Amino acid sequence: MKKNDWKERLGITYSTNPDFVYPAEEEEKATLPKEKQRLRITLDKRHRGGKMVTLISGFRGTDDDLAALGKMLKVKCGVGGSTKDGDIILQGDFRQKTLELLTKEGYSGCKII
């Protein structure tokens, strides 16, 4: 029975090149150790209706580890937020508290920008 893999190629246009190979999905990279993470903490209010959010960017690792770190920060700060595209978003200005929490957890490469 022939494997019907058209769903795996959504978004790819037809090619007349006989040597064309469809690109394979990229595997998630392993999470870097806490000491080697270089996280940047910024205050952002663009495209948010004038409301401020604390944006933690630069996380390198799996989506599950990012979600776990985001959840820990949201619980410790007592605010809502989300995680996506390697960024953690916390509602409100929690730059200093976030820096202290991350340093306490072992993320030594954090800085407020």
Side-chain angles (χ1 to χ4, degrees):
M1 188 171 197
K2 186 176 179 181
K3 181 181 175 189
N4 186 2
D5 61 349
W6 64 271
K7 290 182 181 179
E8 295 176 9
R9 297 188 311 249
L10 289 176
I12 297 177
T13 58
Y14 178 76
S15 175
T16 57
N17 182 357
D19 298 326
F20 181 76
V21 177
Y22 288 102
E25 287 188 26
E26 295 179 18
E27 294 182 19
E28 283 188 299
K29 295 182 181 178
T31 303
L32 287 177
K34 293 178 180 181
E35 304 81 30
K36 293 186 179 185
Q37 294 278 357
R38 300 289 174 240
L39 302 177
R40 295 175 305 279
I41 304 167
T42 58
L43 186 65
D44 187 29
K45 58 182 175 178
R46 288 179 276 148
H47 308 294
R48 303 185 197 287
K51 302 200 177 177
M52 295 184 292
V53 297
T54 303
L55 182 66
I56 300 105
S57 58
F59 184 84
R60 296 180 63 196
T62 63
D63 289 338
D64 292 337
D65 292 337
L66 177 67
L69 179 60
K71 183 172 183 172
M72 184 273 298
L73 290 173
K74 290 187 291 185
V75 168
K76 298 273 183 168
C77 292
V79 296
S82 65
T83 58
K84 62 179 180 179
D85 301 330
D87 295 335
I88 300 171
I89 300 169
L90 301 175
Q91 297 172 349
D93 185 3
F94 291 95
R95 292 176 289 181
Q96 194 60 42
K97 187 171 185 177
T98 302
L99 179 64
E100 292 168 6
L101 289 170
L102 289 171
T103 305
K104 185 177 174 184
E105 287 292 319
Y107 291 90
S108 59
C110 301
K111 62 181 177 179
I112 296 176
I113 297 176

